[in-house]
Amino acid sequence: MNYKWNYHAPTQDQREAARALSREIGISPILCQLLRERGINTAAEAKRFFRPQLHELHDPFLMNDMDIAVNRLNEAMGRKERILVYGDYDVDGTTAVTLVYKFLQQFYSNIDYYIPDRYNEGYGVTIKGVDYAYETDVKLVIVLDCGIKAVEEIAYAKEKGIDFIICDHHVPDEILPPAVAILNPKRADSTYPYNHLSGCGVGFKFMQAFAQNNGIEFHQLTPLLDLVAVSIASDIVPIMGENRILAYHGLRQLNANPSVGLKAIIDICGLTDREITMSDIVFKIGPRINASGRIQNGKKAVELLIEKDYMAAHQKGNLVNSYNEQRKDLDKAMTEEANNIVHSLSNLSERRSIVIFNEDWHKGVIGIVASRLTEIYFRPAVVLTRTDDLATGSARSVSGFDVYKAIEHCRDLLENFGGHTYAAGLSMKIENVEEFTRRFEAYVAEHILPEQTSPTIDIDAQLDFRDITPKFFFDLKKLNPFGPDNHKPIFATFNVYDYGTSKVVGREQEHIKLELVDNKSNNVMNGIAFGQSSQARYIKTKQSFNICYTIEENTHKRSEIQLQIEDIKPSSERILK
């Protein structure tokens, strides 16, 4: 991959401000510059950022309809009505259902949960789900991570005497469903101070309000924060503001005392006795939970996450893990097929988007394939398959481009759609696919910026090896948890040399294990460059080169610092500034 490096050196004023903050809080001016880029300019703000406190969470009753939602839940419990906790089949939805179900079950027994089947029902609130609620005498449905567009379905439920409380975080339409209460910080009339909560996060705020209203101590909610952290990482929501507080304490819970179901997944993933990070959730824990809804039914994930017995949880975890292995095989095969289709498209180099349709593809994996295509081609991608008489699919985007708006622009061609800036779902009549492809491409071509369609690495700071001390790494870790809006910093060091001991490693000799020096210190830095063995010959020429990297702890040698090399360029190659 021929990445462009984008590096803007700080101005003299910015350096001075960073040094002033450095003197105040006692950490490197380089890290202080990163803090200032995140809007943190004072010692007090840095303290809150490094050690977010649960008491800093917003009052849940600032959210529209929260008082109505709590009153209706109290009323249902007082009347001993049957309550159904209903959620989406992905990680965010299943963790949200687990959180609300587990918490309420401590105080109330007439409660059930429901996850729609991706294949038999489709996304969100379904007529079949409403019928199930009616047949089981449910009077109140708490719907999580979906429901904001289910106008007809919730009207149907209302006719049957079933009330809905919606806990969602997807962008609403102008017409809202006829629910008793709609908890969604993205409402146009929202009064809530933070609008980037995950679906599970909205469910947590509902339970926080319920606890507050009923005199239940907050500490009874903290064991559920591991689920919130998993949802935040997996749903790729910003990790600043209230999400930072929830993710920070959720990770502490996940590392110190995870729920039995999550503990089983942690052990199966091989993460036992390791400090679990947001990256571990994104690449190991989340995909296994997600695989249940992709391959079988999301209900299996909830069964695992609510399990109280470890041996039973481990069995269920192995089942979910087997779904993930199936998902990997499907993912690989479908990505190869998708690549072949993309290569056959006319004028590929001129296209700014990718829309492909194959009616035989597995519905549960098309979102992953769309993600793969955006990574390979650096274009927004829509991947569609056939479900009954409709083309249904998933869209994924590149950094900085709002794919939801692009899809919304074509809404007259669609039967249904919903999602976020970077990920969305949609369905349309099959005869509309060709026109959708044309209009979607026209919108993307008009609105996407050239730099959003080329592989770019944004460098946060330039370092010399002498800067990378144990204290620097200790202070760098205080910026955790990393994610959108608080990405893991990427550093660059220019004019480095092979120490003479770097070598190609890996089963297929695809990686390089590096030992490097620069010309400003005697430090020998260890590094690993995954999938970059093609650079080994140049490295061995004894010429200088530039590297960009993240700084990690070597998982095989605790306390040893290791550079994870993102890219390598000859020193002669120009770096963007």
Side-chain angles (χ1 to χ4, degrees):
M1 186 71 69
N2 187 24
Y3 287 103
K4 292 180 180 177
W5 293 12
N6 189 21
Y7 173 59
H8 297 281
T11 65
Q12 189 59 37
D13 287 347
Q14 289 171 333
R15 290 179 194 274
E16 283 299 327
R19 279 195 284 265
L21 183 59
S22 172
R23 288 191 291 271
E24 208 173 346
I25 65 177
I27 70 171
S28 161
I30 295 165
L31 296 180
C32 287
Q33 179 61 35
L34 300 185
L35 289 175
R36 294 189 73 255
E37 288 169 2
R38 287 156 174 75
I40 297 151
N41 298 301
T42 68
E45 289 169 349
K47 182 180 178 182
R48 283 199 300 275
F49 183 78
F50 288 149
R51 292 190 293 277
Q53 301 297 312
L54 287 168
H55 66 75
E56 295 171 334
L57 291 171
H58 299 305
D59 180 352
F61 285 98
L62 293 174
M63 196 176 291
N64 305 58
D65 288 1
M66 187 63 83
D67 52 342
I68 300 169
V70 171
N71 288 340
R72 180 65 185 90
L73 179 55
N74 286 336
E75 187 180 85
M77 289 179 161
R79 292 177 182 168
K80 295 184 167 48
E81 293 175 350
R82 187 154 182 78
I83 298 170
L84 185 68
V85 185
Y86 186 120
D88 188 19
Y89 38 63
D90 69 1
V91 182
D92 196 11
T94 53
T95 53
V97 166
T98 302
L99 185 148
V100 172
Y101 180 79
K102 280 178 75 172
F103 187 68
L104 292 180
Q105 203 184 34
Q106 298 174 79
F107 314 103
Y108 191 70
S109 59
N110 195 13
I111 186 168
D112 191 10
Y113 63 87
Y114 188 93
I115 305 290
D117 187 283
R118 184 191 290 262
Y119 304 101
N120 296 331
E121 296 174 70
Y123 169 80
V125 178
T126 65
I127 296 299
K128 185 176 178 181
V130 173
D131 287 342
Y132 173 84
Y134 181 71
E135 289 158 10
T136 54
D137 200 31
V138 167
K139 297 299 180 189
L140 175 64
V141 177
I142 300 169
V143 58
L144 297 137
D145 191 37
C146 56
I148 197 63
K149 294 194 174 187
V151 176
E152 293 176 12
E153 292 82 359
I154 291 177
Y156 173 70
K158 194 174 180 181
E159 289 172 9
K160 289 183 169 289
I162 302 168
D163 285 339
F164 266 73
I165 295 170
I166 296 173
C167 303
D168 204 352
H169 70 136
H170 295 95
V171 179
D173 280 337
E174 287 183 22
I175 298 173
L176 297 176
V180 170
I182 297 175
L183 309 179
N184 187 332
K186 288 193 177 77
R187 283 174 56 161
D189 61 345
S190 177
T191 55
Y192 195 67
Y194 188 75
N195 68 347
H196 295 299
L197 292 169
S198 65
C200 186
V202 177
F204 179 84
K205 297 305 294 189
F206 184 22
M207 293 301 95
Q208 183 189 358
F210 171 79
Q212 227 169 275
N213 183 260
N214 287 280
I216 300 165
E217 294 290 333
F218 184 88
H219 68 79
Q220 288 190 245
L221 282 162
T222 52
L224 301 168
L225 285 170
D226 54 3
L227 292 163
V228 185
V230 169
S231 80
I232 288 171
S234 301
D235 219 52
I236 318 180
V237 291
I239 305 187
M240 291 292 276
E242 192 164 36
N243 276 346
R244 180 171 174 82
I245 302 170
L246 293 167
Y248 178 89
H249 288 278
L251 275 178
R252 290 180 68 176
Q253 183 70 31
L254 195 63
N255 279 287
N257 189 21
S259 66
V260 171
L262 284 174
K263 171 63 176 162
I265 298 176
I266 288 165
D267 292 345
I268 290 165
C269 285
L271 295 172
T272 313
D273 298 327
R274 263 187 55 187
E275 183 181 358
I276 296 165
T277 65
M278 297 300 266
S279 182
D280 292 322
I281 296 172
V282 170
F283 293 108
K284 295 192 174 181
I285 297 172
R288 284 166 170 82
I289 298 172
N290 230 347
S292 179
R294 291 187 186 282
I295 302 300
Q296 191 67 29
N297 188 300
K299 191 172 184 180
K300 297 290 183 185
V302 178
E303 289 173 5
L304 164 63
L305 294 173
I306 64 173
E307 182 57 63
K308 295 176 182 176
D309 176 75
Y310 179 79
M311 292 306 294
H314 203 273
Q315 282 185 326
K316 290 172 181 175
N318 280 327
L319 180 63
V320 165
N321 192 54
S322 72
Y323 295 150
N324 193 50
E325 293 303 314
Q326 292 176 53
R327 188 273 304 167
K328 286 180 185 176
D329 292 340
L330 281 167
D331 168 10
K332 184 178 178 183
M334 284 171 55
T335 299
E336 286 179 9
E337 289 177 19
N339 253 323
N340 291 334
I341 293 173
V342 173
H343 282 304
S344 70
L345 294 174
S346 60
N347 303 322
L348 176 60
S349 62
E350 297 170 17
R351 291 174 184 252
R352 292 293 169 264
S353 69
I354 293 169
V355 180
I356 56 176
F357 172 57
N358 183 324
E359 61 179 38
D360 297 323
W361 277 340
H362 194 287
K363 186 179 176 184
V365 187
I366 52 177
I368 300 172
V369 176
S371 294
R372 299 270 187 263
L373 295 179
T374 62
E375 291 164 8
I376 295 167
Y377 298 101
F378 287 88
R379 295 165 171 82
V382 180
V383 179
L384 300 162
T385 188
R386 183 176 187 138
T387 304
D388 298 324
D389 294 325
L390 293 177
T392 61
S394 292
R396 296 293 185 269
S397 194
V398 294
S399 180
F401 183 78
D402 192 334
V403 76
Y404 179 87
K405 284 186 179 176
I407 291 169
E408 188 177 40
H409 177 72
C410 309
R411 67 183 303 157
D412 59 300
L413 299 171
L414 305 177
E415 299 299 301
N416 201 0
F417 73 100
H420 312 284
T421 300
Y422 293 121
L426 65 163
S427 64
M428 69 191 83
K429 291 175 181 174
I430 290 170
E431 57 264 32
N432 287 346
V433 170
E434 187 176 339
E435 178 62 12
F436 172 83
T437 303
R438 188 191 68 77
R439 295 228 321 246
F440 183 79
E441 165 65 21
Y443 181 93
V444 175
E446 184 180 345
H447 293 87
I448 203 162
L449 300 174
E451 57 267 29
Q452 292 171 335
T453 60
S454 59
T456 302
I457 295 177
D458 292 320
I459 309 296
D460 291 279
Q462 182 182 344
L463 297 181
D464 298 327
F465 286 167
R466 64 189 175 195
D467 297 320
I468 307 173
T469 63
K471 178 175 174 10
F472 182 90
F473 183 55
F474 176 81
D475 291 335
L476 174 64
K477 289 198 290 186
K478 293 179 183 177
L479 274 67
N480 270 302
F482 294 119
D485 287 5
N486 181 41
H487 62 273
K488 183 176 286 189
I490 296 177
F491 302 103
T493 300
F494 302 140
N495 298 311
V496 305
Y497 298 85
D498 174 28
Y499 187 59
T501 48
S502 298
K503 59 184 178 181
V504 174
V505 296
R507 187 178 300 171
E508 297 178 16
Q509 299 285 284
E510 67 271 41
H511 315 308
I512 315 174
K513 190 176 188 304
L514 297 152
E515 290 188 332
L516 304 172
V517 292
D518 66 4
N519 55 13
K520 295 188 179 178
S521 70
N522 293 320
N523 292 6
V524 178
M525 293 302 306
N526 293 317
I528 183 75
F530 292 113
Q532 297 183 59
S533 58
S534 61
Q535 300 277 17
R537 184 173 293 178
Y538 180 84
I539 288 168
K540 287 295 184 181
T541 63
K542 299 186 178 179
Q543 296 182 69
S544 69
F545 51 95
N546 303 329
I547 56 171
C548 65
Y549 52 87
T550 59
I551 304 176
E552 312 288 345
E553 185 173 66
N554 189 331
T555 54
H556 301 294
K557 296 179 182 177
R558 292 284 176 87
S559 79
E560 182 181 286
I561 296 171
Q562 176 174 268
L563 311 183
Q564 184 165 312
I565 311 296
E566 300 293 317
D567 198 26
I568 299 168
K569 287 188 182 297
S571 294
S572 57
E573 193 166 325
R574 182 173 170 268
I575 306 299
L576 294 181
K577 291 194 179 184

